[in-house]
Amino acid sequence: MRKWETFQDLRRSRSASIGLALIALVLLVALAGPALAPHDPLRPAPLERLKGPSAEHLFGTDSLGRDIFSRVIHGARISLLIGLISVSISLLPGTLLGLLAGYFGGRADSLIMRLMDMLLAFPAILLAIFITAILGPSLPNTMVAVGIVYVPHYARIVRASVLALKEQLFVQAIAHLGGGHGRILGRHILPNALPPIIVYATLGMGTAVLQAAALGFLGLGAQPPQPEWGAMLSEGRQYIQIAPHVAAFPGAAILVLVLGFNLFGDGLRDALDPSLRSV
């Protein structure tokens, strides 16, 4: 019954519907990329450099004459992959650390959370730059860096949920009946702690895409000639006055995807939080 109510609230949410439509649009473009792209995204054509939007090149061409429309389409795959892998890297260890810290408390809690506080002391983008600089600029290292940066966020969210859940009567009853720690955590606490994790992971997809684009803009993310939106945006800033389309379309693509995840995450939060559900 509760799941059905959640689904109905999610379906009635305008922000969730718009966000899901934007995500689905980008996902469809990513899946059908080779079929939709009219040109090779990596093939330079010096004689066609910095041409404006036209029937042949819908988004115009960049400084090397490459078709921006084709590069934006192929870049959708990279951005979705960045979001998925980065969130997975932060979600799994963050959830595990949060479960251990919240459930066992004591020294384990103090040690884990002080480590998380140390990571949170650095601004997210500066810590991501630091990690990427150590590992080396590349797309895989960008995903690792963004994932590590957001581990503390998941750890704190999960810990807060566990602290509240372990005081519930049903959890205490299971413990008194001889339920082991693994059973209590895996079968009773974790399933009930999933709603805030799911919401934050959805919002985290948009944040990861934005952070990766920022690293790409700084030259620390995907390296040329990969059609990554942040790197394309960085290239376009040099021609913002004479050819604004070079930066405008990759920037618009980032906007659409991040906005989609944020809107869907907001709608999901409202649907999963009982205190926000309309009576």
Side-chain angles (χ1 to χ4, degrees), residues 151-261:
V151 167
H153 297 258
Y154 289 95
R156 297 187 73 174
I157 289 173
V158 174
R159 175 181 177 270
S161 298
V162 173
L163 287 175
L165 287 168
K166 76 174 185 178
E167 301 298 328
Q168 297 293 318
L169 291 178
F170 76 93
V171 174
Q172 296 182 6
I174 295 169
H176 287 306
L177 290 173
H181 296 314
R183 179 181 179 184
I184 293 174
L185 283 171
R187 297 186 59 181
H188 300 284
I189 290 183
L190 181 58
N192 286 284
L194 281 179
I197 299 175
I198 294 172
V199 171
Y200 196 82
T202 304
L203 294 170
M205 290 281 288
T207 303
V209 170
L210 201 57
Q211 291 284 359
L215 292 175
F217 184 84
L218 296 173
L220 296 173
Q223 298 300 297
Q226 286 182 300
E228 194 272 324
W229 292 342
M232 294 170 63
L233 192 61
S234 177
E235 178 191 353
R237 65 177 175 170
Q238 305 175 48
Y239 309 101
I240 195 68
Q241 294 184 338
I242 60 174
H245 65 276
V246 179
F249 290 109
I254 296 172
L255 172 65
V256 168
L257 185 56
V258 174
L259 181 63
F261 280 119

Side-chain angles (χ1 to χ4, degrees), residues 92-102 112-113 115-116 151 155 158-159:
L92 297 178
T95 299
L96 178 60
L97 292 173
L99 284 172
L100 296 177
I112 292 173
M113 296 317 296
L115 178 61
M116 298 299 101
V151 167
V158 174
R159 175 181 177 270

Side-chain angles (χ1 to χ4, degrees), residues 26-189:
V26 176
L27 181 61
L28 179 63
V29 168
L31 292 176
L36 292 176
H39 300 277
D40 184 346
L42 305 180
R43 183 183 65 84
L47 296 180
E48 298 181 358
R49 62 189 304 269
L50 298 179
K51 285 189 174 181
S54 63
E56 183 180 0
H57 301 285
L58 294 180
F59 290 175
T61 60
D62 63 8
S63 60
L64 297 178
R66 296 171 298 192
D67 182 62
I68 296 178
F69 181 66
S70 301
R71 290 178 62 78
V72 167
I73 288 176
H74 281 77
R77 288 185 172 185
I78 296 176
S79 293
L80 288 173
L81 186 65
I82 288 172
L84 182 61
I85 295 180
S86 298
V87 168
S88 299
I89 291 173
S90 55
L91 174 63
L92 297 178
T95 299
L96 178 60
L97 292 173
L99 284 172
L100 296 177
Y103 184 75
F104 291 105
R107 292 183 178 179
D109 184 22
S110 297
L111 178 61
I112 292 173
M113 296 317 296
R114 295 301 75 77
L115 178 61
M116 298 299 101
D117 289 341
M118 288 175 58
L119 293 176
L120 287 171
F122 296 92
I125 186 62
L126 291 183
L127 182 57
I129 291 173
F130 176 73
I131 296 173
T132 307
I134 293 176
L135 298 177
S138 69
L139 184 59
N141 292 342
T142 294
M143 293 186 284
V144 171
V146 174
I148 292 174
V149 165
Y150 288 97
V151 167
H153 297 258
Y154 289 95
R156 297 187 73 174
I157 289 173
V158 174
R159 175 181 177 270
S161 298
V162 173
L163 287 175
L165 287 168
K166 76 174 185 178
E167 301 298 328
Q168 297 293 318
L169 291 178
F170 76 93
V171 174
Q172 296 182 6
I174 295 169
H176 287 306
L177 290 173
H181 296 314
R183 179 181 179 184
I184 293 174
L185 283 171
R187 297 186 59 181
H188 300 284
I189 290 183

